[in-house]
Amino acid sequence: MAMSRTEGDGATDRPHRSTAPALDYYLVRPRPPDDRPGAPPEGIVVEEFLFGADHQALRVDSAAWTPGGSGWWTAPALSRSIRADPELRGRVVGVPRHRAEVVYRQLGGATLPDEATLRGHLRAGDTRAASAPLLLSPERVTPGFHSTRVYRLLFANELGPDDLVELSSVWQMTGTDPTRPDGVVGTARRRIGADVFGWELRRIGMVGAYCLDLTVDLATGRDDGVRPVLRELTTTLRLRGLIPVTVERFS
């Protein structure tokens, strides 16, 4: 069975958690030949990324539920498999919480537990050691700003043509061209208060992976706005078929 129970083997320390981040919800479709249109999902996976003080991802905590089982079970091994196994990843669909609530009821689970309760079922995944930012080039601060940071968000899976059209509209991306030799499929920019955020969505290799490089120009020493933007960008791509893998800081 694809969604077998496996106890976690991650560390038990508790890195910094934002105040009340929404969890990530996924449906797992059945394997062929049972993946006919209208076939019910095989189960639900819930995840939460935990971050360090500088907003690098430290680990993913996760839990899963299957109809007819004894309840929610901790699932760090399943989360790892989703990112490593193309066949399984192709059956995983990111959904908003309200969609997970509907499916949970349809599969006989009554009312989906609130997020505080679900967090009690999450089990720590593999924890990355916190490290200083990886400097890919001499550190440069954009003139007029206090500091400049660069983050890379890595994703697995594919975006379809319709997804790119939607992203171009939602983010008002420019330079949208999936055939560019450098892999860049679009860029966007946004000012929030006095801070400026610019990002570039790029395909990695021929198939199955993307990255989003986010440049953050901070007007002051405060970085309160970074986490919400990282969350928004990740969620936008997750709900269009990509699976978030990690967030790294490069400068």
Side-chain angles (χ1 to χ4, degrees), residues 64-79:
W65 177 88
T66 51
S70 58
W72 291 87
W73 41 280
T74 59
L78 178 59
S79 285

Side-chain angles (χ1 to χ4, degrees), residues 60-247:
V60 184
D61 290 355
S62 59
W65 177 88
T66 51
S70 58
W72 291 87
W73 41 280
T74 59
L78 178 59
S79 285
R80 289 193 294 270
S81 295
I82 288 171
R83 289 157 176 85
D85 181 351
E87 187 277 330
L88 175 58
R89 188 166 62 245
R91 298 189 289 118
V92 173
V93 181
V95 295
R97 178 180 166 89
H98 65 81
R99 175 59 180 156
E101 289 173 332
V102 170
V103 171
Y104 191 69
R105 286 196 300 270
Q106 290 174 341
L107 296 180
T111 301
L112 184 69
D114 61 31
E115 295 205 328
T117 301
L118 286 174
R119 282 195 180 92
H121 298 291
L122 298 179
R123 179 64 177 269
D126 299 323
T127 302
R128 292 181 52 186
S131 60
L134 175 62
L135 299 179
L136 299 183
S137 60
E139 187 172 2
R140 291 193 294 260
V141 177
T142 300
F145 289 89
H146 176 272
S147 62
T148 297
R149 298 182 184 180
V150 177
Y151 291 91
R152 172 161 287 181
L153 293 69
L154 295 175
F155 298 86
N157 248 5
E158 274 297 318
L159 289 170
D162 291 343
D163 299 314
L164 291 174
V165 171
E166 280 191 49
L167 286 171
S168 181
S169 174
V170 169
W171 286 343
Q172 299 183 338
M173 287 200 302
T174 61
T176 305
D177 179 3
T179 65
R180 279 178 53 166
D182 61 0
V184 175
V185 297
T187 61
R189 180 180 172 87
R190 181 187 305 168
R191 179 181 288 273
I192 301 177
D195 300 331
V196 174
F197 300 82
W199 59 94
E200 180 179 85
L201 181 63
R202 182 190 304 270
R203 179 188 295 277
I204 304 174
M206 295 298 294
V207 66
Y210 283 82
C211 72
L212 188 147
D213 289 338
L214 173 67
T215 299
V216 181
D217 290 322
L218 296 173
T220 68
R222 297 181 62 90
D223 65 355
D224 311 65
V226 174
R227 186 74 56 82
V229 171
L230 288 170
R231 173 68 184 172
E232 177 192 341
L233 297 177
T234 300
T235 299
T236 298
L237 291 173
R238 187 180 66 82
L239 295 181
R240 285 164 178 79
L242 297 188
I243 306 293
V245 176
T246 192
V247 177

